[in-house]
Amino acid sequence: MLALGDLVHSLGIDPLVDGLYVLTKKEHELKPQTPTIIVLPQSNINLILRSIKQHYPPGCEVLGVDDAGSMSKWMLSELDEAPLGKFRYIFLQAVSWENDLRNFDALRRIVKHLRAPDGCPWDREQTHESLGQYLLEETYEALEELDKGNIDEFSNELGDVLLQIVLHSEIASEVDRFNISDVILAINEKLVRRHPHVFGDMQVDTKEEVLANWEIQKTQERGGASLMEGVPPSLPALAYGQRVQERASGIGFDWEHIEDVETKIREEIEEFIKASSMKERELEFGDVLFTLVNLGRHLNFDVERSLRQANTKFVQRFQMMEKIAEEANLSFANLSLDEKEQIWIKVKDLEEG
């Protein structure tokens, strides 16, 4: 049987110079930037194959080594046909980031180069403040594709969001404030800390218990500050309303039954109708909206998404109305309200039929 040390010697690898990663269990994650030896298991080889395909580019070479030290080489694209069952080891050369643009390190290096003196003039000039709008815009573009059900485009838009995170991290690292590793460390620590039922000894049985413990953890982290601190005021108003209601609900300040919320909506509408001035009506109108958010929250709706869907539906119907008028050689803007209403009904009938 070929010993691991003999294999390393025959491959001409110096672990102190080249680095070396040895994977002996199928649950270990591959590291394409480091020369890797995989000790093949006696079963579940397909899991190893799937992992290699996920982490390595199609053009990389795969070396199989049997117990006698005999070697066979394939391209990754040929691996499905390779008789891996008769081999003890698989060896994979390190893949440079330039040859594997799927790798996160490639994104980090590209952004670093863009910010370098010989990089891009526009990227070099950017600051946290100048990029702030793009972080919000890219997030909304991702949500738009999600709402449309365009998963491929959603994936692309998530990449644009990720770019903003890496850009901000690179800008901060240039003045020794933080870097992308600090960002990842912070969220990893937070996830472990806020999931003691997964990474600790706490026992929970329901989603509600998980959410209640999540709020307790956040309260402890705030060190006595208000429960409402940490909800960004810059959030869209509907989303902000839903988040502050969720926080209040997390400590038991909430309607017990959805019927109570429905009753409250009727009360708020009545108060809006009875308001004696426009200023008072505006305030009462806000109360109506806030209570409608409460109803959506009790129904487990994302109220921002609900309104986005309604907006999209209206815009699509309106554009169809314009098209119908144009095809009839009519000026849509000059049609009477009754004529526009008839086209609106026609559009709804087309949707339903």
Side-chain angles (χ1 to χ4, degrees):
M1 180 181 296
L2 180 66
L4 187 60
D6 293 333
L7 173 59
V8 172
H9 179 73
S10 65
L11 291 170
I13 300 173
D14 184 344
L16 296 178
V17 176
D18 306 312
L20 179 64
Y21 179 58
V22 179
L23 188 149
T24 58
K25 297 180 180 179
K26 63 179 181 296
E27 65 267 26
H28 284 179
E29 184 177 349
L30 291 169
K31 298 179 179 180
Q33 281 69 51
T34 304
T36 298
I37 294 175
I38 301 173
V39 181
L40 289 173
Q42 294 181 348
S43 60
N44 294 325
I45 290 181
N46 286 336
L47 293 177
I48 296 292
L49 291 179
R50 191 179 307 126
S51 184
I52 293 174
K53 292 176 182 177
Q54 289 173 347
H55 289 84
Y56 286 81
C60 79
E61 292 184 341
V62 181
L63 187 68
V65 185
D66 64 19
D67 280 329
S70 298
M71 301 183 182
S72 298
K73 185 183 296 183
W74 314 276
M75 301 300 292
L76 181 56
S77 58
E78 303 170 329
L79 205 54
D80 283 333
E81 308 301 324
L84 294 182
K86 71 176 190 176
F87 292 95
R88 180 168 179 77
Y89 303 103
I90 281 180
F91 174 69
L92 295 153
Q93 288 281 8
V95 180
S96 66
W97 69 267
E98 296 97 331
N99 294 324
D100 186 12
L101 296 183
R102 301 172 304 172
N103 187 272
F104 180 77
D105 188 56
L107 174 60
R108 185 185 63 79
R109 289 173 180 269
I110 289 170
V111 169
K112 191 175 187 66
H113 191 180
L114 290 173
R115 294 277 301 175
D118 61 340
C120 171
W122 185 89
D123 286 283
R124 281 201 308 269
E125 292 181 359
Q126 299 313 303
T127 64
H128 291 305
E129 291 73 22
S130 68
L131 289 173
Q133 60 177 325
Y134 299 112
L135 181 59
L136 188 60
E137 287 176 10
E138 299 297 358
T139 300
Y140 275 117
E141 289 179 13
L143 287 174
E144 180 181 357
E145 298 303 334
L146 179 62
D147 288 342
K148 291 178 180 178
N150 296 337
I151 299 302
D152 289 340
E153 285 303 315
F154 179 54
S155 172
N156 291 336
E157 296 297 342
L158 285 179
D160 291 341
V161 175
L162 180 59
L163 169 60
Q164 297 304 311
I165 296 170
V166 175
L167 266 170
H168 280 286
S169 300
E170 179 60 28
I171 291 170
S173 73
E174 292 167 1
V175 291
D176 294 325
R177 295 301 301 272
F178 64 84
N179 57 39
I180 191 64
S181 295
D182 297 318
V183 174
I184 294 171
L185 174 63
I187 187 59
N188 284 342
E189 288 181 337
K190 182 184 294 184
L191 287 172
V192 172
R193 184 171 63 249
R194 292 188 179 175
H195 291 81
H197 55 288
V198 177
F199 301 104
D201 299 327
M202 177 177 286
Q203 297 295 318
V204 296
D205 298 315
T206 67
K207 177 184 70 174
E208 289 72 24
E209 290 177 328
V210 171
L211 293 176
N213 181 66
W214 182 276
E215 292 300 334
I216 292 172
Q217 291 286 331
K218 290 197 290 188
T219 299
Q220 294 173 346
E221 291 168 12
R222 282 190 292 269
S226 170
L227 189 67
M228 296 302 162
E229 289 192 16
V231 182
S234 58
L235 280 176
L238 290 179
Y240 184 84
Q242 185 161 3
R243 288 298 295 124
V244 297
Q245 289 176 14
E246 288 170 349
R247 291 208 171 182
S249 178
I251 60 167
F253 187 64
D254 197 1
W255 301 104
E256 290 187 7
H257 307 290
I258 195 170
E259 292 79 11
D260 299 328
V261 186
E262 294 169 349
T263 299
K264 186 63 176 176
I265 290 173
R266 288 189 284 269
E267 290 177 4
E268 296 293 354
I269 292 175
E270 188 66 26
E271 291 178 10
F272 167 76
I273 294 172
K274 292 180 179 179
S276 58
S277 68
M278 289 303 295
K279 180 62 177 177
E280 187 179 351
R281 292 196 106 190
E282 182 181 11
L283 293 174
E284 294 296 344
F285 183 68
D287 290 344
V288 172
L289 289 177
F290 190 79
T291 312
L292 285 171
V293 169
N294 225 327
L295 178 63
R297 181 178 59 82
H298 274 263
L299 292 169
N300 293 319
F301 294 160
D302 176 344
V303 294
E304 277 290 327
R305 184 178 185 184
S306 295
L307 184 56
R308 285 200 307 272
Q309 290 172 332
N311 290 340
T312 299
K313 181 169 61 176
F314 176 81
V315 169
Q316 290 174 342
R317 286 177 176 176
F318 193 89
Q319 290 172 336
M320 182 59 71
M321 291 168 67
E322 292 175 317
K323 182 178 180 182
I324 290 173
E326 181 182 356
E327 290 174 348
N329 294 318
L330 299 172
S331 171
F332 182 72
N334 293 331
L335 295 177
S336 68
L337 179 58
D338 286 341
E339 289 171 323
K340 290 185 177 79
E341 181 66 25
Q342 289 303 313
I343 299 178
W344 177 266
I345 293 173
K346 182 177 180 179
V347 169
K348 291 183 68 176
D349 289 341
L350 289 171
E351 288 179 346
E352 295 171 358

